Amino acid sequence: VIGPPLGGFITTYASWHWIFLINIPIGLLGIFMALRFIDPIKSETREPFDLYGMVLAGVGLAGIAFGLSVAGLNLLPWSTVAALVVGGAISMTLYVLHARRTGSPVLDFSLLKLPTLRAAVFGGFMFRLGIGALPFLLPLLMQIGFGLSPFHSGLVTFASSLGAMGMKTLAARIIRTFGFRNLMTVNAVVSAFFLGVCALFTVTTPLLIIMVILVVGGFFRSLEFTAINTVAYADVETAQMSRATTLVSVNQQLAVSAGVAVGAACVETTMWFNHVSEIDATVFAPAFVVIALTSAASSWFFWQMPADAGHEISGRKAVEIASRKGAAKSAATAAVKTATEDTQDVRDQRLG
């Protein structure tokens, strides 16, 4: 949440090296809090660690993620970027072949048979791919396109985090009311809409309006993230939790890297098409449109989930049962009332 303004402050008033060094104390604090507050979930049966699979998957994912992250940024020669991505893809292909022959793979793709996890992985990848480009495109637009300092840019993009914080207090109630499938399907489109609105930002757009749009968009994006991260484990058994966590986490990181690559590629393509050599505010609009459409496409995967997906963990099942009981009681009351009125009509006719 405090990353954008803190990173902007460090870049503006100190050395950019601290952006990386600050991860050390924050990381140590995160490790301590995880050990202190998160209960360890252990499998009843011990399984051998897939060291060979970890090496193949590690090399493959590192090559793909790093290659995609620097693609289009002109930080490395294209030959190096291509070698990273292709080498990573070859290593991941070897891993997939290996995973089919081992009983305890480090990345268990068989878990994708679960409808909720499959939707969270594939749909979540599409959604995060679009959203992952936002922290890359928006600061560039603010700094290079609008001429803001990194610190001021961080304060503007911080608005998105404010919306995310506000949503956390309402997420459980919203999910319980609408259910995972309905909420995730519709909210993916709504979130993508606010992402696409960023394409309309110009130098003359008041910063207040930009911040309001980012706050509202951050609310809906954070709601979608919460739903995706929760429903992913709805049908996962305790013994499979470790593998599922690994699979989901890797998917998240790849989506963010791919989002940066797609955003950078869109900017580069727009510059080439417009025959310009320097980045300005006009080259960002197509990128925002592309990533918005990509995020919206994730709704198709979410709609493929069962209608009652995740009801057990969201409390939606209890709400539906209570609703059915209320409807049944109302129907019974109406039936008794109708029968009483019919009886009264018969009596009135006889008296007549």
Side-chain angles (χ1 to χ4, degrees):
V1 171
I2 65 173
L6 178 60
F9 179 85
I10 292 173
T11 304
T12 304
Y13 301 106
S15 170
W16 60 267
H17 300 81
W18 281 103
I19 291 179
F20 300 93
L21 296 176
I22 201 174
N23 285 310
I24 298 175
I26 296 297
L28 292 175
L29 178 62
I31 293 173
F32 167 76
M33 296 183 71
L35 294 174
R36 175 68 177 82
F37 295 107
I38 299 179
D39 295 330
I41 301 176
K42 297 182 179 179
S43 176
E44 296 180 356
T45 58
R46 295 180 64 88
E47 297 178 344
F49 181 67
D50 184 17
L51 179 60
Y52 180 62
M54 186 203 71
V55 173
L56 287 176
V59 171
L61 294 172
I64 294 173
F66 184 65
L68 292 177
S69 296
V70 298
L73 301 182
N74 297 322
L75 298 177
L76 295 174
W78 270 105
S79 58
T80 303
V81 175
L84 287 169
V85 175
V86 173
I90 293 174
S91 184
M92 280 304 300
T93 301
L94 294 175
Y95 170 76
V96 171
L97 297 176
H98 161 76
R100 294 177 177 178
R101 299 191 300 266
T102 182
S104 55
V106 65
L107 290 177
D108 191 357
F109 295 118
S110 67
L111 292 174
L112 295 177
K113 296 177 181 178
L114 300 174
T116 48
L117 183 60
R118 182 170 62 251
V121 168
F122 291 112
F125 184 89
M126 296 290 290
F127 186 78
R128 282 189 175 89
L129 189 146
I131 304 303
L134 185 63
F136 166 73
L137 293 173
L138 199 56
L140 278 181
L141 175 62
M142 295 290 122
Q143 297 173 40
I144 299 178
F146 297 169
L148 299 180
S149 68
F151 181 50
H152 290 144
S153 171
L155 290 176
V156 173
T157 57
F158 175 68
S160 179
S161 300
L162 292 177
M165 291 173 61
M167 185 284 306
K168 296 301 183 184
T169 61
L170 303 172
R173 186 180 305 173
I174 295 174
I175 294 174
R176 184 167 55 249
T177 301
F178 298 100
F180 280 104
R181 189 183 74 162
N182 295 335
L183 172 68
M184 294 168 68
T185 301
V186 175
N187 192 57
V189 178
V190 175
S191 301
F193 168 78
F194 282 97
L195 191 60
V197 170
C198 296
L200 302 177
F201 293 164
T202 65
V203 179
T204 59
T205 305
L207 290 180
L208 180 60
I209 294 179
I210 294 177
M211 294 181 70
V212 169
I213 292 174
L214 293 179
V215 168
V216 178
F219 178 93
F220 289 107
R221 286 192 294 272
S222 184
L223 177 60
E224 192 76 4
F225 285 144
T226 301
I228 293 172
N229 292 337
T230 305
V231 79
Y233 307 103
D235 299 323
V236 178
E237 301 293 338
T238 301
Q240 302 172 316
M241 192 63 69
S242 176
R243 297 182 188 179
T245 303
T246 304
L247 189 62
V248 172
S249 299
V250 167
N251 180 71
Q252 292 176 2
Q253 296 302 317
L254 278 180
V256 172
S257 299
V260 174
V262 171
C266 290
V267 172
E268 289 279 348
T269 302
T270 304
M271 292 176 62
W272 174 82
F273 186 79
N274 293 340
H275 304 288
V276 297
S277 57
E278 294 185 1
I279 298 178
D280 58 30
T282 62
V283 301
F284 289 93
F288 283 115
V289 172
V290 169
I291 62 175
L293 293 175
T294 303
S295 290
S298 65
S299 62
W300 184 86
F301 293 95
F302 301 139
W303 182 250
Q304 302 305 308
M305 291 191 298
D308 60 348
H311 278 15
E312 294 289 346
I313 59 175
S314 68
R316 174 68 178 172
K317 185 175 181 179
V319 173
E320 288 188 348
I321 291 175
S323 177
R324 293 193 190 106
K325 287 183 178 179
K329 184 177 180 180
S330 299
T333 302
V336 171
K337 182 178 179 180
T338 300
T340 302
E341 292 174 349
D342 290 344
T343 303
Q344 186 63 41
D345 290 342
V346 171
R347 291 175 178 174
D348 291 343
Q349 291 175 5
R350 287 179 178 176
L351 289 175

